[in-house]
Structure formats: C-alpha cells, structure tokens
Amino acid sequence: MDLTDEHRRYEQLYRVTSKFHSSMNMDAVLKEVIETLREVYPHFSYYLLLSQDYNHLNDLPIKEIQYDEANLAVTQAYVTGEIQLEDNISDRTSVLYAPLKGKQGVYGVLQIITPNTLLFPQEEINFVKLLANTAGSALENAKLYHQSNRLVADLQLINETSHQLNSNLRLSEAMNYMSKQIIKSFLADEVGFILFKQHGIYETLPGSTSFFREDQGHLQVVRDIHSKINAEHESIFIGNLPLDHLIAFRSLMAVPMVQGNELLGVAIVLDKEPYAFSFETFKLLQSLIHHSTLALTNSMLREELEKLVITDHLTKLHSRNYLNEMIAKSMKTDAFGSFILIDLDNFKLVNDQYGHQVGDNVLKQVAEIIKDNIREFDVGARWGGEELAIYLPRVELPSGIAVAERLVQRVEELTEPKVTISCGVGHWRKGQEDTPFRLFKRADEALYKAKGTGKNKVNVQEQD
C-alpha cells in the first residue's frame, strides 16, 4: 500500500472517530461507517449485518443477521468478537467479517467483499478492525445513552400514570387516560381493557378503542387470550400474528390485570404492522399495568360502592335520596322538568294471592319497564313500598304525560301476573317559586285523584 494512501486512510479514521464521539445517534454512527468505507474502498462491496431493529434505515446497505449454516462466518464473528475471513474460489472474491464490538458486547457485523482477489491484505484487515472497533464503541455509547433516556422516560410514564390513577379519577376517566398514554407511548393502533366475568362473559371497559367496542372480531381475540392466560398465567407477546380474516393485526401484547391472586382481566395492545413493538416496550407495558391495576380496581370498587349507596337493592332503580338530590340540582341548572309518581294498583292483593316473592318479582318487572322507557340521564327511583318515581329533566309537561301514559300501557301488557299502575304527573318551570317538596306534593295529589277515579290511568296536578 502507498504510504500516502495509508496516511489518508488513518486521517479518515481519525476524522470519523471524532464524529463518533460527538454523536449519540446510532443511525448517524452507521451512516458514518458506510461513508468512510465508500471513500476508502470505492471498489469494494460492503454490508452492515444487524438485527431487525435497524431495518428502517432503507438508504444504507443493511441486512438482517441470519444465524444458520449458510452464514457460519457471520455467526462466528458475532459470537466470538473476532474477525473472520472467507474466500470464494469460483468468483475470486475474499470476504471479511468484522464485528462491531464494544466493551459490553457485539452490536453487529461489518461485511466487506473484495473483488478479483483471493487474499485480503493484512494492512486492510488492521484498518477495518480499527474502524469496526471504533464504530462498535460508538454504537455502544449511543445505545447506552438511548437506554438511559428511555428508562427515564419509562419511569416518568409509570410515575405520571400512577399519580393520575391515584387521584380519585372516575373509572371512565382513569381508563381513557391509560388508553391515551399507551397509544401515545407505544404508537399502537388499538387498545382494549377487558374484564373477565363469570360464565365466559367479557366486559369491555371505558378507554377501549373502536375495535374492542364495535368489531365482533375482538371476541375471538379475547377468548384466545383468556384461554392462554388461564393456562400459562403469563403475559403474551407476539410480533407476527398469522393473517386471519377476523382481524387485520399482526403485532399483539396482552398483559393480565391481577389483584392478589385473582385474574381480573387483561390489557390488550394491537398494531397492524408486524414487529411493531420491541421487547422493551412489552416489559414497559407489563410494568405499567402492574402499577395501575390496584388503582383501577379501587376505582371500580369505589363506583360499585357508590352505586350500591344510590341504588335500591330490589328494583335496581335509584334510591329516593339520590332522586331528591338530582331534582334539587336540576332546579338550579335547568329551565324546567317533569316528575311522575307511580303506584301499583291493588298491590296488596298480589301479595295476598301469590305471596311476597311474586310481589317482589312484579315490582322488579315494573322497574325494568321503567328503565326501558326512559332516557339514560332520566332518573328512575323507588319512592317507597310499591310506589316508584321518575324525574325527567328538561322535559315539558305534555311529554311527561306521554311518558306516563306509555308506562301505564306497557305495564298492563307486559307484567306477569298482570298488574296495572296509576300515575300522578307534576311539572316545574324556572321563574316560578318552586321547590322539590312542592313538586312532590303536586304529583302526589294527582296520583291520589288517579287512584280515586278508577286507577290504571294518568292524572296531572299543575298548581299547588
């Protein structure tokens, strides 16, 4: 080799070494390696043999490392950290495999192919070894830098999420927050939070994305995951799902939500692209779900307790106290509303003839009819004994009467044994001096008149 050429090459090595040490970007390090080779060996062919993590660098000659019998020299270089040479007599080429080696491991293999020669010069081997070792150290430093940054970001994510979930959020708020965090951090297409109920029933929690709320294909995914988790008691990480006509997703992560020794449900993360999630991402999801499950369980228990406090245990309608609170709140914020007081006609005869168990069942039937015929934000409640009540916020009197008349008809048609109801309807409007007590009194007087004039009907008392 000409001394001038050798001097120029080592000057190039010094220049690229300085660049390596000033960069903490792995992509930039790999590009510098290739640029140096292009300048020093313009007539050679070369490839970077790396793991699949670097496949996104499409503008560089990168191949994925293959660990098989056809690539023994590559495997040897990667495993031993020593340069390997391979001669091909048929096409008169010599191939050198130089490991990109740092202090803690080997991060890839540099493949250089020399044309029209069967002997790789020793001085070239020394230069390539220096270049590969320098690049390996730079890759290692960049990798450690990114790992430390990622660990800090992961800890921040877990800390922020745990803090939010422990700040007494409603269940829907907590789950929506979790979903947004996972989609933002993992760039996932779909996120689902599934509770396992008895008898193979699944409940999709708030925060789950459209696939888990609308697409029936998610049931097969959940069934398969539930079966696997029950059998193996482990999280699931799949990088390349087989294509299925039911779902279009190739990457899957599933982490069980466990409280104590009880399997409560599972968090599922999906993406349409294969190998969309790294193993580090999977470990982060496991940690995130582990730290969040207790807070989510507390949210569910708190809301269940709240529901028990404001719910009548027999009819599953709201309690009278809750009804009173909602009417008082509505009178402060709304312009008008209607109130219906309902009484089961001759209910004592039902209890006397069929027994109290059948009487309770009839009450539950009427409660279900009420729930089926009011809006989600209307309030159906048990007033006391066989009396029930409905408050319709922002509903004018004619519409309130229509709801009551529909209930009278439905109850007579749908109950077994057949019963009828009488309804008293009251109404309030902003600007008139009124209170919940006066509203109740008007509806009660209207109900009294309905009962006294034949029953199975609706009556209205508009004035005090």
Side-chain angles (χ1 to χ4, degrees), residues 360-374:
D360 287 348
N361 185 259
V362 168
L363 263 177
K364 289 192 281 187
Q365 291 179 49
V366 175
E368 285 301 316
I369 293 169
I370 287 174
K371 285 186 275 188
D372 290 342
N373 285 274
I374 60 176

Side-chain angles (χ1 to χ4, degrees), residues 434-449:
D434 213 340
T435 64
F437 176 77
R438 289 180 177 179
L439 179 64
F440 300 155
K441 186 171 181 291
R442 292 196 294 275
D444 189 51
E445 290 174 355
L447 176 61
Y448 181 77
K449 289 182 180 179

Side-chain angles (χ1 to χ4, degrees), residues 151-282:
L151 284 172
V152 170
D154 291 352
L155 289 171
Q156 285 177 336
L157 174 64
I158 293 170
N159 184 55
E160 288 172 8
T161 304
S162 298
H163 177 74
Q164 285 291 330
L165 294 180
N166 285 301
S167 59
N168 292 326
L169 291 176
R170 306 294 298 174
L171 178 63
S172 59
E173 294 172 329
M175 301 311 295
N176 281 317
Y177 179 82
M178 277 283 291
S179 180
K180 288 177 183 176
Q181 289 288 79
I182 289 172
I183 290 172
K184 176 183 173 183
S185 300
F186 303 160
L187 303 178
D189 288 330
E190 302 284 350
V191 177
F193 302 101
I194 310 297
L195 281 186
F196 298 147
K197 300 287 191 176
Q198 291 181 337
H199 312 299
I201 296 173
Y202 306 114
E203 178 185 346
T204 302
L205 290 175
S208 300
T209 52
S210 59
F211 173 73
F212 293 95
R213 288 185 283 103
E214 301 164 8
D215 195 317
Q216 289 302 305
H218 86 276
L219 291 173
Q220 185 59 50
V221 175
V222 173
R223 277 194 288 266
D224 291 346
I225 288 173
H226 189 188
S227 174
K228 193 172 180 64
I229 286 177
N230 262 340
E232 300 177 10
H233 304 287
E234 295 288 343
S235 299
I236 301 170
F237 179 54
I238 302 175
N240 194 9
L241 278 168
L243 286 172
D244 192 313
H245 69 282
L246 291 175
I247 60 167
F249 302 100
R250 307 296 301 278
S251 296
L252 178 149
M253 298 187 290
V255 178
M257 295 187 286
V258 178
Q259 183 59 41
N261 292 321
E262 183 183 359
L263 176 62
L264 303 177
V266 64
I268 305 172
V269 183
L270 299 169
D271 197 275
K272 292 184 173 67
E273 295 297 322
Y275 305 110
F277 308 121
S278 67
F279 189 70
E280 287 78 10
T281 299
F282 174 56

Side-chain angles (χ1 to χ4, degrees), residues 61-171:
I62 291 176
K63 293 181 181 179
E64 186 176 338
I65 292 180
Q66 302 294 327
Y67 307 99
D68 52 37
E69 291 186 0
N71 295 277
L72 288 177
V74 180
T75 305
Q76 280 291 102
Y78 189 80
V79 171
T80 64
E82 299 293 335
I83 283 182
Q84 304 294 315
L85 292 169
E86 192 175 61
D87 295 326
N88 192 322
I89 297 174
S90 61
D91 58 9
R92 293 184 56 78
T93 59
S94 183
V95 185
L96 179 147
Y97 298 98
L100 301 173
K101 184 169 62 173
K103 292 181 179 179
Q104 296 186 7
V106 177
Y107 300 94
V109 174
L110 176 60
Q111 179 187 35
I112 300 179
I113 305 169
T114 64
N116 304 317
T117 180
L118 283 177
L119 182 63
F120 212 109
Q122 184 61 45
E123 58 270 21
E124 305 296 353
I125 295 175
N126 294 337
F127 176 81
V128 170
K129 183 176 181 179
L130 282 173
L131 176 63
N133 287 344
T134 305
S137 295
L139 280 173
E140 183 172 79
N141 291 336
K143 196 175 184 72
L144 291 172
Y145 175 77
H146 285 287
Q147 282 178 343
S148 64
N149 282 347
R150 191 180 65 244
L151 284 172
V152 170
D154 291 352
L155 289 171
Q156 285 177 336
L157 174 64
I158 293 170
N159 184 55
E160 288 172 8
T161 304
S162 298
H163 177 74
Q164 285 291 330
L165 294 180
N166 285 301
S167 59
N168 292 326
L169 291 176
R170 306 294 298 174
L171 178 63

